[in-house]
Amino acid sequence: MGLIKKRKNLVPRISISILPAALLVLTVFIYGPINLYAGNSKELWFPFSFIASKFILSGVGVFLLFSIICVSMPWEKGKWLVALVFGIAVALYIEGTYLPIEYINLNGAPTEWEKYYFQMIWDAVLWTACILVSVAAAGFREELFKKAVPLVCGLLIAVQVIALIPLLNDLGQEKRFVLTSEGKFTLSEKDNIIVLVLDCFDNRLFEMFTEENSQFKQAFSDFTYYRNTTSGFNYTAPSIPFILTGIPYDNSVPYSEYLRMSFR
């Protein structure tokens, strides 16, 4: 009978310990990134799969870390960590879902942070209240805390999972415009211009090789070397359309539309 009672007490203890960690991980590492990507997918050149594994692995690591620590600690000590994680998770959910800050476009213009003072004060009040209420409940209303944590965590997890369904559907239908190998060796019968792009190749290395190896320099005798040329962008993705079309990306249209105009 004692073993059965111990097992019955263990199940709610585990749920109370791991559900706040699950809510925290779902909000920060799954729902948050997917929601941000889906809302800005037209401005991003890479598919979500490019970053998905990083968030998933990080989320699994954080979940296991918090869960193992909370479950293994005696309840009298572990409840404070559970309360802290629960308060942080709830604050993150409320702020990310209902109080997002609409920042200006990141176009190089200075940010007027004084416009966000009220939001910063409200965020500080929200976070302080969520954490203090959670810790106070764990200390003074323990039974209520044990009932509220699984209920609130389960509800918020369910809400986010339901909200993820249409977002994941949109990600599955996303289309990307890319360069392929099709026709790369097809040349015109008349004049051809062949452009060799050495991505991330340092100009100083080329000059060093040609100075130290005369035969290497001789191989490029029919080429024109523009030593002072610089790229229009820091990254490959916008640089290739710019090289092919001569039209720079100026943020006047979504990046996906710029690619569509460049490759169609």
Side-chain angles (χ1 to χ4, degrees), residues 7 10 37 44 76 78 90 100 176 178 180:
R7 288 181 177 177
L10 184 61
Y37 183 91
L44 302 174
E76 288 303 317
V90 172
R176 296 290 166 184
V178 296
T180 68

Side-chain angles (χ1 to χ4, degrees), residues 78-126:
K79 67 180 182 181
W80 304 115
L81 180 58
V82 172
L84 177 62
V85 175
F86 177 67
I88 293 175
V90 172
L92 282 169
Y93 173 81
I94 295 174
E95 181 173 3
T97 305
Y98 302 107
L99 303 172
I101 300 177
E102 296 183 1
Y103 294 108
I104 62 173
N105 292 330
L106 300 179
N107 54 11
T111 302
E112 299 179 9
W113 293 109
E114 59 272 11
K115 292 183 178 180
Y116 305 105
Y117 283 162
F118 177 78
Q119 182 72 40
M120 294 177 183
I121 294 174
W122 172 240
D123 286 348
V125 172
L126 169 67

Side-chain angles (χ1 to χ4, degrees), residues 48-174:
F48 184 75
S49 57
F50 183 77
I51 58 175
S53 60
K54 300 177 179 61
F55 284 107
I56 292 175
L57 291 176
S58 300
V60 170
V62 172
F63 174 75
L64 292 176
L65 177 63
F66 279 115
S67 298
I68 292 173
I69 294 176
C70 291
V71 172
S72 60
M73 292 177 65
W75 174 247
E76 288 303 317
K77 295 181 180 179
K79 67 180 182 181
W80 304 115
L81 180 58
V82 172
L84 177 62
V85 175
F86 177 67
I88 293 175
V90 172
L92 282 169
Y93 173 81
I94 295 174
E95 181 173 3
T97 305
Y98 302 107
L99 303 172
I101 300 177
E102 296 183 1
Y103 294 108
I104 62 173
N105 292 330
L106 300 179
N107 54 11
T111 302
E112 299 179 9
W113 293 109
E114 59 272 11
K115 292 183 178 180
Y116 305 105
Y117 283 162
F118 177 78
Q119 182 72 40
M120 294 177 183
I121 294 174
W122 172 240
D123 286 348
V125 172
L126 169 67
W127 279 72
T128 302
C130 288
I131 294 175
L132 287 182
V133 169
S134 179
V135 172
F140 301 104
R141 300 293 299 274
E142 187 172 315
E143 292 303 318
L144 177 62
F145 178 74
K146 289 181 178 180
K147 295 178 181 179
V149 168
L151 180 62
V152 174
C153 288
L155 177 62
L156 297 184
I157 288 173
V159 169
Q160 292 187 84
V161 169
I162 294 174
L164 279 174
I165 296 176
L167 295 178
L168 291 174
N169 183 61
D170 292 340
L171 293 181
Q173 297 178 359
E174 62 181 359

